[in-house]
Structures are given as structure tokens and as C-alpha cells.
Amino acid sequence: MAEAERVIGTPDTPDAGADGPEQGEETQQAQERPKGKRKIAVLFAVAAFAFVLDLVSKMIVVAKLEHHEPIKVIGDWLQLEAIRNAGAAFGIGEAFTIIFTVIATAVIVVIARLARKLYSLPWAIALGLLLGGALGNLTDRIFRSPGIFEGAVVDFIAPKGFAVFNLADSAIVCGGILIVILSFRGLDPDGTVHKD
């Protein structure tokens, strides 16, 4: 049917041989749609990978490391130590657990809305890292004790002289750094490049 319309034309569209501006816009939109979908798939694939990796690591830590002595990975410089963190990343603001839960939820909603305009692979990776990390820590806040939306996040990576963190925190930080780099380079989420 579509092939027949292309050959003979329809009353509401230009003839097949005509190359009007409307037909050019439709062709451009048709070419952009699959490109955008591929980037959305990358975003959700990266987010799912980051989320699952974080979830599995926390399950192992709770089962094998909690209430045990820390495991030294590189002498005193890096060890694995299970702690429960009611605050934000790196133990900041433990009195504001519900606020951090609301912020994480807002970040997830914003990323989901932004995904519709996503045509850039680096932005898809960056937003996927942010989404996966936010979902990882939000899952802890919803399902872990002391209660819904007040749960303490499981942290376990303990470098010497630094706060204890987890893989979700790492994904969020890496995604944030990548977004800063992309912004400085002038690359927008829709794939356009601007120079200020």
C-alpha cells in the first residue's frame, strides 16, 4: 500500500517525483527515529547493567561481609567493609534520608523524560550510569530497614582516608563527570554540537 502511494501519489501529498520541503522533512524524521531508539536502548542497557551489578554486589556484601571483619584488598589503602548509610553518597547528610529519596526519584523521572530527545551515544551512556546508580540506591532506601523511603544504603568500598561508598555511588559520579565533559565540549543530548 505504501509503495503504491509512493508511485501514484495521493491527493493530500506531493507526487512521487516531487521533492518538496515536506517530503524532505518526513524523510529526515524517518531517518532520525531509529537512531534515537538505538540511543534509548543504550541508556536503558547501561542503566540495567549498573543497577544489576550494584544489586548483586550489595547482596553478596550483606550475606558475606556484614558483621564480619573488613577484608583488606590493598593493605590499609583499600578494604571492603560493610556499613549502612542513611545519608547521601559518601555518607553526607544522614538526617535527610527522605529528601534524598525524593531527589533520586526526581532524577529518575527527569532522565526518563529526557530519553525521548536522546540522539547522542555518550549522553546515553552518561544518563544510563546516572539512572542505574540512582535506581540502585533508591532500591535500598525503599526496601531496606529501618523502613520504606528511610532505608539505609549498603556501602562497602573503603579507601583509606575517604568515605565508604558502593557501586551505585561510583556509577553516579562517573555519569556526572561524563556529563560535565560533554557539556564543556558542547555536545547536547540531542546530538547537536554548539560552540559558545
Side-chain angles (χ1 to χ4, degrees):
M1 181 72 174
E3 181 66 17
E5 288 180 357
R6 187 186 68 78
V7 173
I8 63 172
T10 61
D12 296 331
T13 60
D15 291 339
D19 269 344
E22 291 179 10
Q23 188 174 2
E25 289 174 11
E26 289 174 7
T27 304
Q28 184 179 359
Q29 288 175 354
Q31 289 173 347
E32 288 179 353
R33 261 185 242 125
K35 181 180 174 185
K37 287 182 182 175
R38 281 197 298 270
K39 303 308 180 270
I40 292 170
V42 169
L43 184 155
F44 287 113
V46 170
F49 178 75
F51 174 73
V52 169
L53 198 62
D54 178 65
L55 184 65
V56 169
S57 68
K58 288 172 179 174
M59 290 171 65
I60 293 170
V61 165
V62 169
K64 303 289 185 184
L65 193 58
E66 202 166 38
H67 308 300
H68 290 83
E69 289 295 315
I71 296 173
K72 293 186 178 183
V73 179
I74 306 174
D76 290 334
W77 291 99
L78 177 64
Q79 54 187 10
L80 302 178
E81 177 182 7
I83 67 161
R84 298 293 180 117
N85 173 15
F90 311 114
I92 300 167
E94 293 191 6
F96 303 103
T97 305
I98 293 178
I99 293 172
F100 294 130
T101 304
V102 172
I103 291 171
T105 305
V107 166
I108 292 166
V109 170
V110 168
I111 291 172
R113 290 178 58 99
L114 186 59
R116 294 180 295 176
K117 301 175 183 178
L118 190 61
Y119 289 88
S120 165
L121 180 62
W123 270 96
I125 294 169
L127 292 175
L129 288 169
L130 280 179
L131 181 59
L135 284 170
N137 283 341
L138 184 61
T139 301
D140 280 3
R141 297 200 186 284
I142 293 173
F143 295 107
R144 295 197 188 275
S145 60
I148 295 177
F149 300 117
E150 296 180 350
V153 174
V154 175
D155 287 336
F156 60 93
I157 303 170
K160 184 177 181 180
F162 195 71
V164 183
F165 59 97
N166 58 41
L167 295 182
D169 296 335
S170 300
I172 291 168
V173 169
C174 291
I177 290 170
L178 184 52
I179 286 173
V180 170
I181 292 170
L182 295 173
S183 298
F184 273 116
R185 296 186 66 181
L187 181 62
D188 291 333
D190 65 0
T192 59
V193 178
H194 67 275
K195 295 180 180 178
D196 293 336

